[in-house]
Amino acid sequence: MKKIRYLIMAIFFTAMTITSIGASLKSVSYKIDDKVYDGYYSINKSPEAPLVLLVHDWDGLTEYEIKRSEMLADLGYSVFAVDLFGKGIRPTEVKDRRQHTGELYADRQKMRSLMLGALEVARLKGGNIHNAVAMGYCFGGAAVLEFARSGINLKGFATFHGGLTTPEGQNYSRTKGEILVLHGTADANITMDDFAKLAVELENNGVSHEMITYSGAPHAFTVFGSKSYRKDADEKSWKRFTEFLDETLKR
């Protein structure tokens, strides 16, 4: 019953206010199971344009994800930046970030349903969900791999310094689409042991994948202006990601 309830709440939502952000992005408030979420989108005028579903890290959907969304929109992709926490929830304290991510880590079905609901919002806004890739940063990377394990029919899934551990009882046997993992070799939070275990899992399940590590890159190495930012690793990983999009999606 719980599984069915979450599926229903994810698909039936109420679109609310829409405002413009910058040159290309618009914000959209949408409701899932009576809770309001704030996402951002830019839908290319061409109905055939590929879609990128972008998932935030553990501090919620902030200017960082908006910037990355604008970069993708400038490349000609339709983009929908997902909100998994809810309207106005952009935690700045570590304990609050752990609380909000922990709630979703503890309820994987809800995490999947929120991803599915966001994908449905993107579709109703004009996004081509049949020619789409999901990507995420840190916590968002873990959410993207959760979506991949759910069996959602997307062309690909990409993570930047994302959580790589598979929860007990789950596997990649239902995964459709290719997986790209972009990781920092110096990441102390998500270790190279985690990286290696995922590689074995994907291989054993016959999932097409590519996994790259960048020397000297710590956790969150793509976050502009942070102590963890590594320009070289950021630029290399972004280049590989955009190549992955070109290889995976129809233009």
Side-chain angles (χ1 to χ4, degrees):
M1 182 66 68
K2 184 177 182 182
K3 182 176 180 180
I4 294 174
R5 173 177 174 270
Y6 280 138
L7 183 60
I8 291 173
M9 80 162 191
I11 295 176
F12 292 92
F13 68 94
T14 302
M16 299 174 70
T17 58
I18 301 173
T19 56
S20 294
I21 302 293
S24 59
L25 291 186
K26 294 181 180 179
S27 67
V28 56
S29 292
Y30 56 99
K31 188 179 289 187
I32 297 177
D33 197 27
D34 294 325
K35 183 173 181 177
V36 179
Y37 296 83
D38 282 338
Y40 293 89
Y41 74 97
S42 175
I43 303 300
N44 190 291
K45 292 181 180 179
S46 169
E48 303 302 319
L51 171 70
V52 179
L53 199 71
L54 188 150
V55 191
H56 59 78
D57 65 13
W58 74 337
D59 58 355
L61 181 50
T62 65
E63 291 182 1
Y64 174 73
E65 288 80 19
I66 293 172
K67 173 62 177 176
R68 291 292 182 179
S69 297
E70 289 175 339
M71 290 168 66
L72 289 167
D74 288 344
L75 292 175
Y77 295 98
S78 294
V79 187
F80 190 89
V82 177
D83 176 13
L84 295 185
F85 290 168
K87 183 179 179 65
I89 300 176
R90 306 293 182 259
T92 57
E93 299 294 329
V94 170
K95 65 176 182 178
D96 296 325
R97 293 171 178 175
R98 286 177 175 162
Q99 174 195 335
H100 292 293
T101 55
E103 289 172 356
L104 289 175
Y105 281 137
D107 192 343
R108 297 297 182 128
Q109 188 57 49
K110 182 176 181 180
M111 184 189 290
R112 293 182 179 193
S113 297
L114 291 173
M115 293 284 290
L116 184 61
L119 186 64
E120 176 67 0
V121 177
R123 184 189 71 81
L124 291 176
K125 291 298 172 190
N128 185 355
I129 67 170
H130 302 294
N131 188 26
V133 159
M135 61 91 79
Y137 295 93
C138 301
F139 163 73
V144 163
L145 292 181
E146 186 70 36
F147 212 27
R149 291 190 296 270
S150 77
I152 190 71
N153 191 19
L154 298 183
K155 300 292 185 182
F157 305 88
T159 86
F160 290 80
H161 42 80
L164 305 179
T165 303
T166 302
E168 184 176 354
Q170 289 195 30
N171 58 57
Y172 285 86
S173 61
R174 300 179 60 198
T175 298
K176 303 177 180 67
E178 300 183 25
I179 289 180
L180 174 66
V181 176
L182 303 165
H183 188 67
T185 315
D187 192 329
N189 296 332
I190 302 157
T191 68
M192 289 304 295
D193 286 340
D194 298 326
F195 182 90
K197 288 177 183 176
L198 177 60
V200 172
E201 281 187 79
L202 296 177
E203 188 66 22
N204 288 344
N205 282 275
V207 178
S208 179
H209 62 279
E210 180 178 344
M211 302 177 66
I212 304 172
T213 65
Y214 299 95
S215 61
H219 190 64
F221 64 85
T222 68
V223 181
F224 305 119
S226 72
K227 293 181 179 179
S228 299
Y229 183 71
R230 298 294 184 273
K231 185 175 186 292
D232 182 61
D234 173 41
E235 291 179 350
K236 287 180 178 178
S237 60
W238 185 257
K239 181 177 183 292
R240 182 64 197 108
F241 173 60
T242 57
E243 292 170 347
F244 175 75
L245 293 179
D246 285 339
E247 297 161 2
T248 307
L249 299 171
K250 296 179 182 179
R251 295 297 295 260

